[in-house]
Amino acid sequence: SSDLDGIYYFTTEGGNPPFNSNTTITRNLIDLMFGYHFDLFFLGANYNYDAIVTSGGGNPTSTDSFRAFGGDLGLMTQDVYLLFTYYFNSYGTQAGGTTNVKDLNNGTGYQITLGYMFDMGSGFKIGPSLSYKSLTYANFSSGASTSFTYTTLVPEANIRYSF
């Protein structure tokens, strides 16, 4: 069957060390997959957007954002799944305040996701998952030869529709 899988993750934190009580961190994560599930295997495409906004605390608002496009391959039963995503194209920005913004280019990476889905009927499923993602960028906008790697481990809530 064909599957459309979407994740939207949002969280806000404030006053956690090393930040003062006026600092707020907001994270938006969108992970969209479209693919085909046959027998035990899943093959698909993936778009990922991850943004972390830090504001307050007497500092200017800064946003780190990462966008990635890739392919999915994995094992999937009716309930449990393990997916590997290879991101062949990724770009983003890393902001250290308003004057130190770096464009991230030529990125590649991977994501591993383990999850469980509960059948809601009519082709819909929902469930939790845990994703580890690593993106490496070959250069910054300044042309520096130093690479930059972004890694994250994120719990997610999924909505899947099979047709």
Side-chain angles (χ1 to χ4, degrees), residues 128-146:
S129 67
L130 186 62
S131 290
Y132 174 81
K133 176 174 54 181
S134 178
L135 300 171
T136 300
Y137 297 92
N139 62 336
F140 298 118
S141 58
S142 63
S145 61
T146 305

Side-chain angles (χ1 to χ4, degrees), residues 71-141:
D72 294 308
L73 179 64
L75 301 174
M76 185 178 289
T77 67
Q78 292 299 317
D79 303 322
V80 179
Y81 61 94
L82 176 64
L83 296 176
F84 176 79
T85 304
Y86 176 73
Y87 292 114
F88 53 83
N89 183 15
S90 182
Y91 61 94
T93 57
Q94 183 184 28
T98 56
T99 59
N100 192 19
V101 177
K102 297 176 183 155
D103 288 328
L104 304 171
N105 300 301
N106 301 324
T108 59
Y110 65 93
Q111 178 173 300
I112 299 170
T113 305
L114 176 64
Y116 187 88
M117 300 302 278
F118 298 97
D119 191 356
M120 303 304 290
S122 300
F124 285 96
K125 292 184 176 188
I126 62 170
S129 67
L130 186 62
S131 290
Y132 174 81
K133 176 174 54 181
S134 178
L135 300 171
T136 300
Y137 297 92
N139 62 336
F140 298 118
S141 58

Side-chain angles (χ1 to χ4, degrees), residues 52-55 60-64 95-98:
I52 303 162
V53 180
T54 305
S55 61
T61 299
S62 68
T63 302
D64 294 342
T98 56

